[in-house]
Amino acid sequence: MRRAVLPAAALAGALALTGCGSGPGPDSGSGTSKAELSVNSVYMPQPVSADMAAGFLTITNQGGAKDALTSVSSDVAGRVTMHSTVAGAMREKTSFSIPAHGRLVFRSGANHLMFEELKRTPKQGQHVTLKLTFAESGPLTVEMPVKSATYNPSTGH
Ligand code: CU
């Protein structure tokens, strides 16, 4: 389900019209009315199972409009699903919102990606390729490094 960008654009236009009124300024077109996404803290713990793996990443939105992650695919898996963890129980979701000036975090014990129908077993030191698809922004391709099965991003090993 797509959400139109029109309301945000219309709001920005209204603000420009009723704003300080000093006319066109050099700061018009600063891009803050769109989502500006970047991806970091990306890793996959080396899977202990031959047919399933987990993956984690953080998507940061520096723009002034929200977006949503709507699907994930990978060269290494038949399909990648997105899960939230609520009170210890995981639940598949079809979309995760990314707030304006906010972050969407997938980390161990919380939101996570699940790589299903693995075509090969990723090993520590390898990379897998991820394609992230969004409701508004263009797709992003990310190289996800495979870390040890017990990798902890806060200690780095
Ligand atoms: Cu899961």
Side-chain angles (χ1 to χ4, degrees):
M1 184 164 46
R2 294 179 68 88
R3 264 188 94 90
V5 290
L6 189 59
L11 180 61
L15 287 173
L17 285 174
T18 59
C20 59
S22 58
D27 59 353
S28 62
S30 60
T32 53
S33 63
K34 287 199 316 185
E36 292 175 18
L37 305 179
S38 59
V39 182
N40 48 46
S41 304
V42 184
Y43 74 100
M44 169 185 283
Q46 180 175 296
V48 292
S49 148
D51 52 21
M52 192 173 285
F56 306 105
L57 53 83
T58 297
I59 301 172
T60 301
N61 182 2
Q62 292 183 289
K66 67 178 178 176
D67 205 337
L69 178 65
T70 53
S71 75
V72 182
S73 61
S74 173
D75 62 328
V76 79
R79 64 190 206 117
V80 182
T81 53
M82 305 184 285
H83 294 238
S84 64
T85 301
V86 178
M90 72 175 188
R91 198 165 53 186
E92 185 170 345
K93 291 182 64 172
T94 55
S95 173
F96 276 90
S97 64
I98 310 166
H101 304 294
R103 294 193 304 173
L104 169 61
V105 179
F106 291 87
R107 63 181 167 80
S108 183
N111 299 335
H112 56 278
L113 303 177
M114 292 190 66
F115 295 72
E116 300 171 30
E117 302 159 19
L118 288 180
K119 297 169 184 172
R120 58 180 170 86
T121 306
K123 294 275 192 282
Q124 183 174 352
Q126 296 177 341
H127 287 76
V128 305
T129 302
L130 270 191
K131 185 179 174 191
L132 308 175
T133 305
F134 302 96
E136 303 295 344
S137 304
L140 292 177
T141 300
V142 175
E143 290 293 302
M144 173 175 265
V146 183
K147 302 290 194 178
S148 72
T150 57
Y151 179 74
N152 181 335
S154 60
T155 63
H157 29 224

